[in-house]
Amino acid sequence: GFSINAYGQLPFSDGFESGNFTSGDWTITGNAQVSNQSPSQGNYCAQGPGTYKIEKSFSNLNENIITVEYAMKASQTGSNCCNFNLADENGNYSAVVFFRHTGNIEAKDGPTGSTSIAIMSYSADTWYNMKIVLNFTNNTYDVYINNVLKADNFGFFEPSYGTPQDFSWQSGETWGTGWVDCVNIFAGFVGIDNEIANTENISIYPNPFINILNIKGDNISSCSIYSLKGNLVKTISFTNINTQIDISNLPSGMYLLNLMDENGNLLKSEKVIKE
């Protein structure tokens, strides 16, 4: 189960283990319900068949950074049945992340009317651990999925964003079902360092670099390189623990380098700059 903190204050956690929405002081619209149908953890989760909205309101959240964690799954890949939004006191949105009918998890990067960017595909009836880190100084947000950074420095949906107030999970479509579980909202950045295996013996250098990166470490099997938009631009398999990678074919800029072991577990995630 999850402990419930004082309403309207951070940190806030809810795993719906009370069996209802009352303990978390949620505002409910539409078909949302607490369900014991295949939760991510514990005995219960929130379920939204068709149109629904579960909303948690806060006041006076004058934080520079807020981290939102939750587990989410969709019944199918053919409907927008799992949407996360964070609104300010005037109803403007910052982060917009949703499981779209294209079969992709997508996020809005930039102002109203911007194109949604696919950050990864998803499978029906599969739980995904989501982490959204919002920076209210720069009006940007990052999206981690299953502890891997998928969207980096995406711009807020509304450029004139005020104080964060309403956190919501919702769908406006009449078909498909979305599930939400393990909601945690914190002040500050809650990183993935504690969730990743020992990284002291892994080195990535030089940084910045021109064309060649040196990588040294234990148990490294492959690396994936992502653009700032969260798009996978290159995957490299390693044959030994000390290697060089040539990425001279990529344009100058910042990239995210994820190092994985042979089982696909994330060992180290680091931003690198190509000059």
Side-chain angles (χ1 to χ4, degrees):
F2 294 81
S3 61
I4 305 300
N5 298 96
Y7 303 149
Q9 300 179 13
L10 297 183
F12 170 81
S13 297
D14 197 356
F16 309 102
E17 293 305 288
S18 62
N20 57 57
F21 288 114
T22 304
S23 294
D25 198 29
W26 295 92
T27 300
I28 307 304
T29 305
N31 299 321
Q33 57 191 259
V34 174
S35 170
N36 61 359
Q37 182 180 358
S38 302
S40 174
Q41 293 184 18
N43 298 311
Y44 293 95
C45 61
Q47 180 184 10
T51 58
Y52 70 95
K53 182 178 183 179
I54 68 170
E55 184 175 22
K56 175 65 181 177
S57 296
F58 295 84
S59 60
N60 302 318
L61 295 187
N62 296 315
E63 308 290 343
N64 292 328
I65 294 177
I66 290 177
T67 298
V68 183
E69 296 180 333
Y70 59 97
M72 176 148 273
K73 73 173 179 177
S75 64
Q76 55 192 355
T77 57
S79 63
N80 299 344
C81 54
C82 302
N83 306 335
F84 168 79
N85 299 285
L86 173 55
D88 66 10
E89 68 276 14
N90 297 315
N92 298 316
Y93 288 131
S94 56
V96 180
V97 181
F98 52 106
F99 287 53
R100 203 173 183 210
H101 62 267
T102 56
N104 292 315
I105 300 175
E106 300 190 7
K108 293 284 190 179
D109 181 16
T112 305
S114 62
T115 302
S116 299
I117 297 175
I119 55 178
M120 69 170 286
S121 61
Y122 72 93
S123 301
D125 293 318
T126 300
W127 283 105
Y128 293 89
N129 295 316
M130 312 291 295
K131 184 196 303 286
I132 300 175
V133 182
L134 300 112
N135 187 319
F136 296 96
T137 301
N138 301 328
N139 280 5
T140 61
Y141 67 100
D142 302 335
V143 181
Y144 296 81
I145 303 176
N146 295 336
N147 294 330
V148 177
L149 182 60
K150 293 294 186 180
D152 186 43
N153 288 323
F154 272 30
F156 278 6
F157 188 55
E158 303 281 356
S160 57
Y161 189 86
T163 302
Q165 179 171 295
D166 296 314
F167 298 76
S168 65
W169 290 261
Q170 60 188 290
S171 173
E173 296 197 356
T174 57
W175 54 301
T177 300
W179 284 265
V180 185
D181 205 356
C182 306
V183 175
N184 295 281
I185 307 173
F186 308 91
F189 174 65
V190 180
I192 58 175
D193 292 344
N194 293 333
E195 301 163 359
I196 301 177
N198 179 14
T199 62
E200 287 84 356
N201 296 324
I202 297 178
S203 299
I204 302 171
Y205 64 94
N207 191 15
F209 68 100
I210 298 177
N211 291 318
I212 304 296
L213 265 177
N214 297 289
I215 298 177
K216 294 185 178 181
D218 299 327
N219 303 318
I220 304 172
S221 178
S222 65
C223 76
S224 298
I225 303 173
Y226 293 86
S227 70
L228 285 184
K229 298 298 185 183
N231 298 319
L232 179 64
V233 296
K234 193 176 186 68
T235 300
I236 303 168
S237 297
F238 294 159
T239 56
N240 56 66
I241 62 175
N242 300 321
T243 190
Q244 290 184 331
I245 57 175
D246 184 346
I247 47 180
S248 56
N249 61 323
L250 296 180
S252 298
M254 183 178 290
Y255 295 90
L256 179 76
L257 189 71
N258 288 339
L259 300 178
M260 321 294 287
D261 67 14
E262 61 182 6
N263 297 316
N265 298 313
L266 180 64
L267 296 174
K268 188 179 183 68
S269 183
E270 185 168 317
K271 292 180 181 178
V272 295
I273 299 174
K274 183 178 185 296
E275 294 182 329

